[in-house]
Amino acid sequence: VGFSGKGVVLAAALASSCNAFTQTTPTSLSGVTGSSSALSAAPATIEQVDKRTGKPTGTSFLPGEAIDRAAKGNPIEKAKLAKDGTSAFVDVYEYAAKIREGSMTWDEVEKADLNTRLKFVGMLHRDKRTPGQFMMRLKVPNGIVNADQMRFYADCVEKYGEERGVVDITTRQNIQLRGVKIEDAPDIIDGLHARNQTSFQSALDSVRNMVGNPLAGIDDMELVDTREFCNALNDLVSLDPETNTRGNPKWGNLPRKFNIAISGSRDDYAHTHINDIGLVPVAHAETGEMGFNVVLGGYMSIKRVAESIDSNMWIPADRESVVTLSEAILRIFRDESERKDRQKARLMWLVEKYGVEDFKAAVTKEVESYGRGVTVGDAQPLPTDGPFERRELLGVHAQKQEGKSRVGILVPTGRLSPKECRDIADLADEYSGGEVRLTVEQNVILPNVDDGKVKALLKEDSLGQDSRLKVNAGFIEGNTVSCTGAQFCGLALIETKSHAEDISKKLESLVDVDRPIRIHWTGCPNSCGQVQVADIGIMGGPARQLNEETGKMMAVPGCKIFVGGRIGEDAHLALEPYKEGVPLAEEVLVPELVEILKNEFGAKDKKRGFRSK
Ligand code: SRM
Ligand code: SF4
């Protein structure tokens, strides 16, 4: 992916020779005053170059008009103006050194760094749940990792103990390390960079993990191999071309998060319809050339949940076109999107402000201005040869390569202990050439398993009866997804992962269904667990229940239930709750879900001795 451990050395060198690069230039900002350390105020001068790294600041790429808006914008905008996020890794190294030598403690770290700016290094302080410990989010383009990386994740988190030291596979086909302390972060960052991975620009106002097709290169129904494009886009947004270090300042001051997904087949495993940019593979109707229709603006949030809209754009499936189109949209988004109301700062609002055709015209003009010979065409008709049934990712399936199989393994709610990470690494070394693929359903796939070795793989202890990892999971437990929830997330209204795992097992023991039923859990309306695309979505929310002792109704942890979201070609978001105010208590929620499974999905009471799959 165009990056090697070399970059770390350069970054460290840049950090230590920082003064040589100091060059603070005042901008045309008028009437803006304040301190550079407070979250609530923008500085009087805007740094063009970060003193310590010599890298240009994210803000230095913004036009004056956008800086003026940011200066009058929300507290996060002011924090970004006050101190550059793309050089925040230097703060991590400096804080860590001081904490290690005993000259400071983690709670003396500047608040704006602790809770905001370190997010540019992918470090999210879990201040409400585990003060002093961070979640570190990585970037895993196309969700492809290897055995060495899996073992490294295990080594990084193990010291934080069974409860806190875990690894999560996320709903963006990505990895999060938990429990991380600042003093350990430099070694983790260096270790990641030495393994061609990074955590930089994976959170806050950054372009998030590039989601691609988990079956890229191994599937006979593939239309486009997404790997090259995910890697190229990952480099576009997070590799600094000047210093060859991770963290690209050009995109270091975006108005909001930005999601890109590239689909490789009609299954749309990447969920293009809920990403800011979604690339949908479709051949040009006249020339037959393979390319992508561009859908825009899909997102989920507390304020609004929106399905992507057709932008009437098509580009050929080549690296230059994909990178140039994305760069053009990102440039327009960066400079023109909302900087005051964070709820309105997602791409959809900007597209609506323009109108679809005018937005297309602006993007086309921008693309042409780069002079790379890239052409933006009109959207192409989708295939009409009948409906397409999205295929399963779990279990054993033939690949396009003769004699090879892909084996999808359930990781319940994406949560892995260090031992389970190592188990997967061992399986990968033994059966899949060390390669592991992550899915947005928070599971893993081992590709390229010799058909002749599948039996042996299925007999491995780490996939046995007592293991959480399973190849032949039931239709319900195998399709349960869950966001982080209250164990670590300060925004959560309820605990999610442990309930999701327990209740899916319970449901599996009570009913039989004849197809995968996707049950998604999300702890609050931000919908990181994407409840609106689920067959059944469970979102944390208020509920009341009778207190047997007092005889009074009292507030209890509860949920809203959504039913009927669809993914794939026939995507549809379930926007309105099916039921609200349902207590989370198992004796209430389980019967409720059983009813929904029976009424809406044809579930039958389980017959003794008969399993659904
Ligand atoms: Fe998310 C904020 C976790 C995918 C919409 N999300 C958060 C924070 C950072 C809040 C916080 O500070 O605690 C959560 C961190 C909890 C933690 O400790 O892990 C968090 N989001 C997650 C993850 C880990 C859920 C998971 O268990 O898999 C996912 C990480 C993806 C990744 O690897 O980058 C995750 N979040 C999503 C998705 C799904 C997707 O991208 O397909 C969405 C909906 C799609 C979207 O963004 O449009 C999503 N997360 C949000 C939002 C609402 C965004 C908005 O525009 O308002 C927030 C709140 C915010 O950004 O202000 C949020
Ligand atoms: Fe946290 Fe809410 Fe996202 Fe769950 S949906 S991870 S509770 S922000």
Side-chain angles (χ1 to χ4, degrees):
V1 290
F3 173 70
S4 71
K6 203 171 65 190
V8 185
V9 180
L10 179 54
L14 284 170
S16 60
S17 62
C18 51
N19 289 334
F21 296 94
T22 306
Q23 184 192 334
T24 307
T25 316
T27 70
S28 61
L29 272 178
S30 54
V32 181
T33 54
S35 119
S36 64
S37 62
L39 255 182
S40 56
T45 56
I46 302 296
E47 280 190 328
Q48 298 290 311
V49 171
D50 189 285
K51 295 186 192 80
R52 299 154 313 160
T53 59
K55 278 177 143 194
T57 61
T59 306
S60 69
F61 290 88
L62 301 185
E65 181 274 331
I67 297 178
D68 284 344
R69 283 190 294 117
K72 293 177 203 137
N74 58 64
I76 292 178
E77 289 304 322
K78 290 171 185 168
K80 289 185 291 186
L81 294 184
K83 195 165 155 197
D84 182 40
T86 50
S87 288
F89 64 93
V90 180
D91 298 304
V92 175
Y93 283 75
E94 287 176 358
Y95 287 135
K98 287 183 185 159
I99 294 171
R100 280 176 169 173
E101 73 183 20
S103 63
M104 80 180 285
T105 53
W106 72 264
D107 48 350
E108 289 168 334
V109 169
E110 195 185 310
K111 281 283 171 287
D113 283 345
L114 196 63
N115 294 326
T116 304
R117 211 169 285 111
L118 296 193
K119 291 181 184 175
F120 283 98
V121 189
M123 289 179 66
L124 282 78
H125 185 213
R126 304 295 73 200
D127 55 337
K128 281 200 188 152
R129 313 297 186 198
T130 57
Q133 288 181 285
F134 291 74
M135 170 269 275
M136 188 186 276
R137 181 180 288 161
L138 312 192
K139 284 263 179 93
V140 180
N142 212 126
I144 300 181
V145 296
N146 62 41
D148 173 48
Q149 290 162 344
M150 290 296 287
R151 289 195 186 94
F152 179 68
Y153 307 149
D155 293 347
C156 289
V157 302
E158 192 159 42
K159 66 199 279 193
Y160 306 120
E162 212 176 301
E163 279 282 299
R164 297 182 176 188
V166 290
V167 174
D168 284 336
I169 302 171
T170 78
T171 53
R172 291 196 70 75
Q173 206 177 34
N174 194 9
I175 290 286
Q176 290 184 172
L177 309 178
R178 294 203 176 273
V180 176
K181 296 189 176 172
I182 299 188
E183 55 268 39
D184 302 327
D187 288 347
I188 300 180
I189 292 168
D190 291 354
L192 288 171
H193 287 188
R195 288 171 177 78
N196 198 24
Q197 281 199 321
T198 192
S199 61
F200 291 6
Q201 281 170 296
S202 60
L204 200 65
D205 298 343
S206 299
V207 185
R208 304 300 179 85
N209 194 45
M210 299 299 161
V211 177
N213 177 13
L215 303 187
I218 59 172
D219 175 28
D220 60 2
M221 298 186 92
E222 176 176 74
L223 298 169
V224 176
D225 186 336
T226 57
R227 288 173 295 185
E228 181 196 358
F229 303 123
C230 285
N231 284 335
L233 289 180
N234 189 53
D235 280 352
L236 169 76
V237 299
S238 64
L239 185 69
D240 179 1
E242 296 299 318
T243 56
N244 197 32
T245 52
R246 278 294 167 189
N248 188 347
K250 190 169 177 188
W251 314 111
N253 191 341
L254 295 178
R256 201 64 169 97
K257 73 191 291 194
F258 197 94
N259 291 333
I260 304 180
I262 311 176
S263 191
S265 67
R266 290 180 67 183
D267 306 271
D268 195 14
Y269 294 123
H271 290 189
T272 48
H273 61 299
I274 52 167
N275 277 261
D276 295 287
I277 299 180
L279 298 182
V280 181
V282 52
H284 195 283
E286 282 159 26
T287 65
E289 184 183 10
M290 186 45 74
F292 295 108
N293 278 349
V294 182
V295 296
L296 295 176
Y299 83 109
M300 292 167 170
S301 74
I302 285 183
K303 171 144 183 132
R304 180 175 176 190
V305 174
E307 191 167 330
S308 298
I309 50 173
D310 181 357
S311 72
N312 191 24
M313 291 191 260
W314 181 91
I315 50 163
D318 63 60
R319 193 186 163 104
E320 194 73 351
S321 300
V322 168
V323 170
T324 303
L325 176 98
S326 305
E327 192 176 342
I329 294 173
L330 272 174
R331 206 285 301 156
I332 295 170
F333 173 71
R334 183 193 67 192
D335 295 349
E336 298 182 23
S337 188
E338 172 72 27
R339 296 244 172 203
K340 202 171 184 73
D341 182 352
R342 283 180 70 76
Q343 297 296 344
K344 293 185 176 170
R346 297 295 296 266
L347 182 71
M348 181 62 104
W349 296 82
L350 186 63
V351 175
E352 286 174 342
K353 199 168 155 193
Y354 265 94
V356 177
E357 278 306 318
D358 285 352
F359 191 73
K360 179 184 177 188
V363 172
T364 305
K365 191 171 160 213
E366 180 81 8
V367 163
E368 282 166 5
S369 77
Y370 297 162
R372 298 177 196 162
V374 170
T375 312
V376 177
D378 291 338
Q380 296 300 303
L382 291 170
T384 49
D385 46 344
F388 182 89
E389 191 140 341
R390 195 172 187 268
R391 294 161 301 152
E392 276 197 68
L393 292 173
L394 290 186
V396 181
H397 304 271
Q399 286 185 195
K400 75 172 177 193
Q401 291 86 357
E402 184 92 359
K404 299 279 186 194
S405 289
R406 59 174 161 100
V407 180
I409 303 173
L410 167 69
V411 177
T413 71
R415 170 68 45 88
L416 288 164
S417 67
K419 179 186 177 302
E420 287 163 340
C421 286
R422 293 191 185 108
D423 285 345
I424 291 175
D426 291 346
L427 293 176
D429 274 341
E430 181 65 30
Y431 297 99
S432 60
E435 185 173 337
V436 180
R437 308 245 176 136
L438 312 177
T439 71
V440 297
E441 290 81 17
Q442 304 172 310
N443 297 315
V444 300
I445 297 171
L446 299 182
N448 301 315
V449 179
D450 283 337
D451 288 349
K453 290 178 88 177
V454 168
K455 259 195 186 149
L457 168 62
L458 298 182
K459 284 195 188 132
E460 288 284 353
D461 284 349
S462 53
L463 300 175
Q465 283 291 324
D466 299 332
S467 175
R468 289 174 70 238
L469 309 177
K470 284 185 194 142
V471 173
N472 293 311
F475 279 142
I476 295 173
E477 63 174 343
N479 292 282
T480 297
V481 167
S482 174
C483 84
T484 305
Q487 186 187 1
F488 296 109
C489 180
L491 304 179
L493 303 172
I494 56 166
E495 162 55 15
T496 51
K497 282 197 193 277
S498 58
H499 291 310
E501 190 169 346
D502 290 349
I503 287 180
S504 70
K505 276 195 219 137
K506 184 90 196 170
L507 292 172
E508 199 73 63
S509 73
L510 292 172
V511 293
D512 279 316
V513 286
D514 60 4
R515 65 175 177 89
I517 305 295
R518 298 169 304 104
I519 303 187
H520 287 220
W521 287 68
T522 215
C524 79
N526 282 314
S527 208
C528 304
Q530 310 150 326
V531 292
Q532 292 85 355
V533 304
D535 289 318
I536 301 176
I538 299 169
M539 175 191 283
R544 293 176 73 76
Q545 200 174 5
L546 185 69
N547 182 323
E548 301 285 354
E549 279 173 24
T550 62
K552 289 187 180 149
M553 295 297 280
M554 60 181 283
V556 292
C559 63
K560 292 180 181 176
I561 301 180
F562 293 75
V563 173
R566 291 195 301 272
I567 48 177
E569 272 191 348
D570 181 28
H572 163 76
L573 298 182
L575 295 176
E576 293 303 322
Y578 181 89
K579 197 148 189 184
E580 298 185 56
V582 181
L584 217 56
E586 206 174 295
E587 67 277 12
V588 184
L589 184 57
V590 168
E592 194 74 59
L593 293 173
V594 166
E595 273 314 291
I596 295 173
L597 284 165
K598 286 181 179 174
N599 294 340
E600 306 291 336
F601 300 96
K604 303 268 185 297
D605 285 326
K606 191 121 199 146
K607 295 192 185 95
R608 279 174 80 84
F610 176 77
R611 280 179 52 76
S612 64
K613 198 188 169 205

